[in-house]
Amino acid sequence: MARSARSKKRKRSKQRVKAIPEEPFKEEPISPLVRKYWLQRYSLFSRYDEGIKMDEEGWFSVTPEKIAISHAQRCGGGVVIGVVIDCFTGVGGNAIQFARMGYHVVAIDIDPRKVQLASNNAKVYGVEDYIDFIVGDFFKLATSLKGDVVFLSPPWGGPAYRTIKNFTLDLLKPKDGYSIFQVAQKITPNIIMFLPRNVDLQQVEELSWLSSPPLNIEIEANYVQCNLKGTTAYFGGTAFGKLDVS
Ligand code: MGP
Ligand code: SAH
């Protein structure tokens, strides 16, 4: 649903926790590593030419726009308004689409530069007023966070992740996938986790058993133009499109 159509419903007071560095942003040149991702720039951000800014990690980590839109649609299809916590925001690929779908977003990244980039990119999409950016460590902030959905797209260890045959959850950064999931569960059982395409699916299913009773889980393969890009696990109310945060 278009943001403009929903604006009247969005009267909740905004609690800004902005901590964005003021220094001017210097764009990095397109390195050989980045070139492959730069060639895919319009599938990463369709408004790339309108002023999107990236850094090297941002290039190889950002969720392609089509997948980020489907993550946001699965959060209740925009029917209900709620708060999504994007715990590993990066350059904002997911946070922007959650905000466009009508959610209020708390966007956290440990790297101040990422928050600066994500804030810039949110402005390109006209949704900066719907996102509270926080520079900080998700694990330290977790106990003070409240939200209806937690979105997790942690680092996978760089582009070399794809050389691994079976990507086990202990390879996620900065902590293993079980620890990340357990911290997220203290906020809400409605968790969406974006994982590598070669992730160990049995281990992903086991995450749902960490809760008693076990959480609902639905696992989805994510494609862009027939190319498999990642795996998304939907837990709790986000599985089977049953989220209701009203
Ligand atoms: P990729 O496998 O590096 O690229 O990343 P591609 O073009 O599929 O490579 P190919 O040559 O094998 O076809 C694919 C997607 O995974 C990226 O667009 C990101 O959305 C996501 N991704 C990749 N990495 C290394 C990370 C990461 O560290 N963290 C997160 N959250 N996402 C990542
Ligand atoms: N979904 C994002 C990509 C996330 S990449 C997008 O679409 O743009 C993973 C991010 O996690 C990186 O930007 C990294 O800086 C951040 N990160 C790593 N450790 C963190 C921590 N402890 N707390 C918060 N963010 C962290």
Side-chain angles (χ1 to χ4, degrees), residues 144-235:
S144 61
L145 296 170
K146 291 197 186 343
D148 301 297
V149 174
V150 164
F151 181 78
L152 302 169
S153 60
W156 304 348
Y161 82 89
R162 56 178 180 266
T163 61
I164 298 160
K165 195 163 174 239
N166 187 43
F167 187 101
T168 48
L169 291 179
D170 59 294
L171 297 172
L172 288 175
K173 309 284 176 208
K175 294 190 183 184
D176 68 88
Y178 299 97
S179 303
I180 295 173
F181 192 80
Q182 275 181 318
V183 172
Q185 258 195 303
K186 290 187 179 140
I187 304 170
T188 172
N190 305 323
I191 298 168
I192 304 177
M193 206 165 182
F194 186 49
L195 295 162
R197 59 191 173 218
N198 51 349
V199 72
D200 185 322
L201 292 176
Q202 196 176 330
Q203 288 191 342
V204 178
E205 284 187 21
E206 279 166 16
L207 288 175
S208 64
W209 307 343
L210 292 175
S211 175
S212 176
L215 295 174
N216 281 339
I217 176 170
E218 186 183 356
I219 298 177
E220 170 185 272
N222 303 116
Y223 291 84
V224 175
Q225 291 168 352
C226 300
N227 297 314
L228 183 55
K229 292 288 176 182
T231 306
T232 305
Y234 297 90
F235 296 91

Side-chain angles (χ1 to χ4, degrees), residues 36-37 40 60-64 153-154 156 161-162 197 229:
K36 170 179 129 175
Y37 302 96
Q40 304 175 44
F60 64 69
S61 305
V62 63
T63 305
S153 60
W156 304 348
Y161 82 89
R162 56 178 180 266
R197 59 191 173 218
K229 292 288 176 182

Side-chain angles (χ1 to χ4, degrees), residues 61-63 87-94 109-110 114 136-138 153 174:
S61 305
V62 63
T63 305
C87 308
F88 303 91
T89 292
V91 293
N94 287 102
D109 203 287
I110 202 164
K114 292 292 188 309
D137 181 341
F138 165 60
S153 60

